[in-house]
Amino acid sequence: MTLSQYDAIVLGAGAAGLMCAAVAGQRGRRVLLLDHAEAVGKKILISGGGRCNFTNIHTAPDRYISTNPHFAKSALARYTPADFIALVDSYRIAWHEKTLGQLFCDGSAKQVVAMLLEEAAKGGVDVRCGQPVRAVAHADGLYRVTFGDQLFTAANLVIATGGPSIPKMGASGFAYDLAHQFGLKVVEPRPALVPLTLGGDDVLFRDLSGVATPVEARSGKTAFREAALFTHKGLSGPAILQISSYWRHGEPVTIDFLPDAAPGWLVEAKRTRPRATLTAMLGGTLPDRLAQTLAERLQLPGELGTHTDRKLTDAEARLSRWAFHPNGTEGFAKAEVTVGGISTAFLSSQTMMAKSVPGLYAVGEAVDVTGWLGGYNFQWAWASGHAA
Ligand code: FDA
């Protein structure tokens, strides 16, 4: 067994680990970056459909979910989307805003990984992949990491191994094991930005698989206005992925199918078009198959003029608060991120260092900070990695 000593060992060469290692290296630290996967930055490569939605210009702490909503503020304020854009620009990587402040590469996510590796190289970071981390120990102020058959030591150890979403890409709950080993609590991890599954009465909606429409999806006090998509298992699309991060088992998700409709629109429609059917009225805005299914469920057959105002008002209310009762999610196998993770109560928001374990840091998705869909999670990875 060989033994080599560094100032810092970063476990996990994903978004947060690469950023952290590069910055530390460029500040003169001897840094070792380790990953059990054969290659670095795998999630970056598949992100944003291969174009990496690398940040969001509307980044703000209220777009992150955490047991402590204040925790992310410091790191996000000290490394902003503008900082990452400046880095991307310095590599002449062309990008564009797609929608809602989401920035994507014009070319490929490979450019972002190449950029981060180049930054790591500038800092002299030693990058090693493709071996399991067999053991991590801490004694006499040094962390000892057994990587394959090699032993490395450092005064600082950074946990950057992400969360358990998409295990077939090498994701693991290793960060939580390490946290427990060092006495840090873990907020129960749940799949997030994940499709919801429907059963029971809602199962009929699965017949609409492939139908998409703009909606407002709500769980408790939180609502998102984006597209929802019916799937053969239930509900997906950006509005649903966003709301999945807030949804808890047993709670309904309510959908406003006509978020732009004026209050009283259906009674008004009865006055102006008494011979129209509900299906036809809904079909003016919604996809035909969805309009038909909703109209059937509302049981208002025939012409609008034959129904009382009361019934139409009730139907309008249901259309604006259609309650689905998801029986679950598609789980970590399909989740883009994880809600929960290493408890922020045990970490410094300034440095990401564990308050009770000198030299131990946690960054990125491993920590109980989860962003909305749309580049927010990478911005957290860059910012927390930079802070550490
Ligand atoms: P990340 O998962 O990137 O890296 C962790 C690293 O640790 C990996 O390289 C892994 O191999 C390694 N590792 C894990 N277990 C280990 C172990 N036991 N030993 C050694 N190494 C280990 N976000 C966003 O902002 N914009 C987007 O466009 C997308 N798109 C997207 C698409 C898909 C399909 C997914 C699954 C996710 C996204 N995301 C996203 C989310 C984003 O990918 C995620 O938030 C970041 O990658 C998190 O960065 P981390 O560095 O914390 O973990």
Side-chain angles (χ1 to χ4, degrees), residues 12 14-16 35-36 46-48 53 161 166 172 174 336 365 375 377-378:
D35 203 294
H36 68 171
I46 60 159
S47 69
N53 177 193
T161 52
I166 323 268
S172 73
F174 188 58
E336 217 165 271
E365 198 180 322
N377 284 295
F378 279 139

Side-chain angles (χ1 to χ4, degrees), residues 232-252:
H232 66 289
K233 288 187 178 163
L235 293 166
S236 188
I240 301 300
L241 297 180
Q242 296 278 35
I243 214 68
S244 74
S245 303
Y246 292 85
W247 176 75
R248 296 273 183 171
H249 270 273
E251 290 175 356

Side-chain angles (χ1 to χ4, degrees), residues 67-304:
T67 308
N68 176 359
H70 303 292
F71 183 82
K73 286 182 181 171
S74 173
L76 290 173
R78 285 178 296 134
Y79 192 85
T80 64
D83 291 319
F84 196 77
I85 293 167
L87 182 63
V88 165
D89 285 346
S90 73
Y91 279 78
R92 298 182 197 282
I93 298 173
W95 52 268
H96 61 281
E97 179 182 345
K98 199 169 173 188
T99 173
L100 301 172
Q102 303 169 6
L103 304 192
F104 286 74
C105 299
D106 289 356
S108 160
K110 284 181 193 162
Q111 296 170 285
V112 173
V113 173
M115 173 187 83
L116 292 167
L117 276 174
E118 178 65 27
E119 284 294 293
K122 280 186 197 164
V125 176
D126 187 355
V127 184
R128 304 194 189 200
C129 294
Q131 299 287 329
V133 176
R134 293 193 198 281
V136 176
H138 186 219
D140 305 326
L142 278 186
Y143 292 90
R144 303 166 78 85
V145 176
T146 313
F147 183 66
D149 61 1
Q150 291 178 292
L151 180 65
F152 300 107
T153 66
N156 299 285
L157 182 74
V158 184
I159 304 174
T161 52
S165 48
I166 323 268
K168 72 172 183 209
M169 295 209 59
S172 73
F174 188 58
Y176 311 146
D177 300 341
L178 284 176
H180 287 132
Q181 179 182 336
F182 289 102
L184 316 184
K185 289 219 166 90
V186 172
V187 177
E188 188 198 353
R190 290 184 286 123
L193 300 182
V194 64
L196 300 172
T197 56
L198 295 177
D201 275 355
D202 294 333
V203 91
L204 288 174
F205 280 92
R206 293 202 215 153
D207 293 344
L208 295 174
S209 179
V211 172
T213 189
V215 300
E216 184 178 273
R218 176 176 293 278
S219 174
K221 289 185 180 155
T222 310
F224 289 94
R225 269 187 80 160
E226 278 189 73
L229 167 73
F230 290 92
T231 72
H232 66 289
K233 288 187 178 163
L235 293 166
S236 188
I240 301 300
L241 297 180
Q242 296 278 35
I243 214 68
S244 74
S245 303
Y246 292 85
W247 176 75
R248 296 273 183 171
H249 270 273
E251 290 175 356
V253 168
T254 55
I255 303 274
D256 184 346
F257 282 110
L258 299 164
D260 291 319
W265 70 272
L266 197 47
V267 172
E268 180 61 20
K270 171 180 158 179
R271 307 265 179 269
T272 53
R273 295 182 57 192
R275 306 201 63 179
T277 62
L278 180 57
T279 309
M281 286 309 300
L282 292 176
T285 311
L286 300 174
D288 287 346
R289 281 163 66 201
L290 176 60
Q292 201 175 345
T293 303
L294 293 173
E296 280 166 12
R297 289 273 179 128
L298 290 167
Q299 295 181 334
L300 291 177
E303 298 171 0
L304 289 181

Side-chain angles (χ1 to χ4, degrees), residues 11-18 34-44 46-49 51-56 103-104 131-134 147 159-163 165-166 169-175 177-178 193 332-338 363-367 371-382 384:
L11 296 179
L18 279 161
L34 299 177
D35 203 294
H36 68 171
E38 290 298 333
V40 306
K42 277 191 172 178
K43 275 193 189 166
I44 302 174
I46 60 159
S47 69
R51 290 223 163 90
C52 187
N53 177 193
F54 55 80
T55 192
N56 193 298
L103 304 192
F104 286 74
Q131 299 287 329
V133 176
R134 293 193 198 281
F147 183 66
I159 304 174
T161 52
S165 48
I166 323 268
M169 295 209 59
S172 73
F174 188 58
D177 300 341
L178 284 176
L193 300 182
F332 283 116
K334 292 283 161 66
E336 217 165 271
V337 287
T338 309
V363 295
E365 198 180 322
V367 178
W372 286 2
L373 184 76
Y376 296 98
N377 284 295
F378 279 139
Q379 187 58 37
W380 169 245
W382 316 135
S384 59

